[in-house]
Amino acid sequence: METAKLIASKDYTIGRTSERLFGSFVEHMGSVVYNGIYEPDHPAADENGFRTDVLCLVNELALSVVRYPGGNFTSGYDWKDGIGPKEWRPVRTDVAWRQIEPNTFGLNEFMKWIGKVGADPIMTVNLGTKGIEDAKNILEYCNFEGDSYWSELRKAHGVEQPYRIRTWCLGNELDGEWQIARKTPEQYGLLACETAKVMKWLDPGIELVAVGSSTRQMATYPEWDRKVLELTYEHVDYLSLHNYISKREADTATYLAMPMDMEKQIREVIATCDYVQAKKRSGKTMMLSFDEWNVWRAPDVEYTPWQTGSPYDWVRFRMEDALVFGSAMLTILRHADRIGIACQSLLVNTIPMILTEKGGAAWRNPTFYPFAHVSRYGRGQVLRAIVESPKYDTSVYTDVPVVDTTAVYREEQGEATVFAVNRGDEPLLLELSLRDFGTCRPLEHIALKHERLDAVNTSAQPLNVSPARETGTFTSKDDHTAVLLPPYSWNVVRLATGESR
Ligand code: AHR
């Protein structure tokens, strides 16, 4: 049997995970909002129209942040359409997704919903068709303590206390040809800089995210990032990056290796940030906001344009997608020192973690589980582990480690969690050499696996792909614990740490 080894010491850490690394994304897109989180006619809807069956599943994810209201949607959105009495709100066309926006769910509904989720909001302002004044107005409506037109309007809408929303994105993917009112980096950089100044003058407590390149494939990458940072560096706190990993025609071995490109992307964006820091002789280190990341697969349901709540990219993810998704999460964890925000995209119905049927059931996609596990057991000090793994080559990648693994030390719980994806079609023995942790005691081994890599969850079989506790997989060898990872599996290995030597 093939063997891999993870060697880690308590003293060698990458960094503590930011609270904001366990986020997701709710966009007015397809059936994410309408017929997703909000469906007033559904039997499980509460008095606000929120689906309580969906809320129960969302709460299992222990989300720390949720980004809203887009996405591409934001670049044509007027937030004012979504506030005040519902009977006065206009019905609009949304040309980003070619849908009808009834505006029955807006900013205050989102804030009420996120209160039930227990996460913090990340709000995106429209820097496509709107600009500085509109960004200032929404901030004033949400956060201003004193008496002003916009804060009084918020109070008139029944929200006495300011929301104090901390994180704001300065637009979305404005480098993209698909974006409403896309810009050159010079145009965007200047607009973002001036918007940032005004927003921080109004509320110095906020933090701002500048738009980085939409994908690593953009012809303007990474020059867009450099130019934008040169114009905004001292006024923003994060640079965004997005990545949707897609199998398309690739074979399984190649698909499972694709998160290695995400690793490259993160390194390249960090290098670009640090180049600008050096050029500016700045003492400030730019943090990254990975505010859209996911796997992508062609949808199972055809989209009908110019509807409200028509499913867009509604897809039943497969077992193999969950493995790639898990690797992507581990890639983000391994950059806990520089990635301060991460949002899986999107939460419900669009390439989602949670699927729903209109008027019917809600259930978990297989990708739900790696997220829930890392959110629950992955908050702490990410260890700078050395991993020795057998490797494989594909037509695209060379030296792909068969095991993708990362360890997190959860001091307060007295636990170390080892997450691992076995990319191979054979069981693999992972030896854990956790140094300076005292004698570690295995607590549990959870694995997500299935005999078929194309297995999915459906409303009739919602638990077809779901994790289970493994038994008899731990062994002790030369004072080290070893754990047997099933073929093609996502694993959570929890160990109680002993007294330090
Ligand atoms: O699938 C979500 C969309 O993907 C977002 O609106 C956009 O930012 C990205 O291109």
Side-chain angles (χ1 to χ4, degrees), residues 25 27 29 71-73 97 172-173 178 242 244 292 313 345-346 350-351:
F25 180 26
E27 174 166 9
M29 174 181 184
N72 300 342
F73 173 78
W97 300 116
N172 177 73
E173 293 190 353
W178 58 87
H242 294 176
Y244 294 89
E292 288 185 31
D313 280 357
S345 165
L346 290 123
T350 294
I351 46 171

Side-chain angles (χ1 to χ4, degrees), residues 265-276:
Q265 177 192 16
I266 295 168
R267 286 179 191 276
E268 288 161 0
V269 174
I270 289 173
T272 308
C273 291
D274 293 352
Y275 169 79
V276 178

Side-chain angles (χ1 to χ4, degrees), residues 379-397:
R379 298 176 195 225
Q381 287 286 353
V382 183
L383 298 172
R384 197 173 287 284
I386 293 170
V387 178
E388 292 165 5
S389 170
K391 298 199 162 94
Y392 68 86
D393 294 341
T394 79
S395 53
V396 183
Y397 299 94

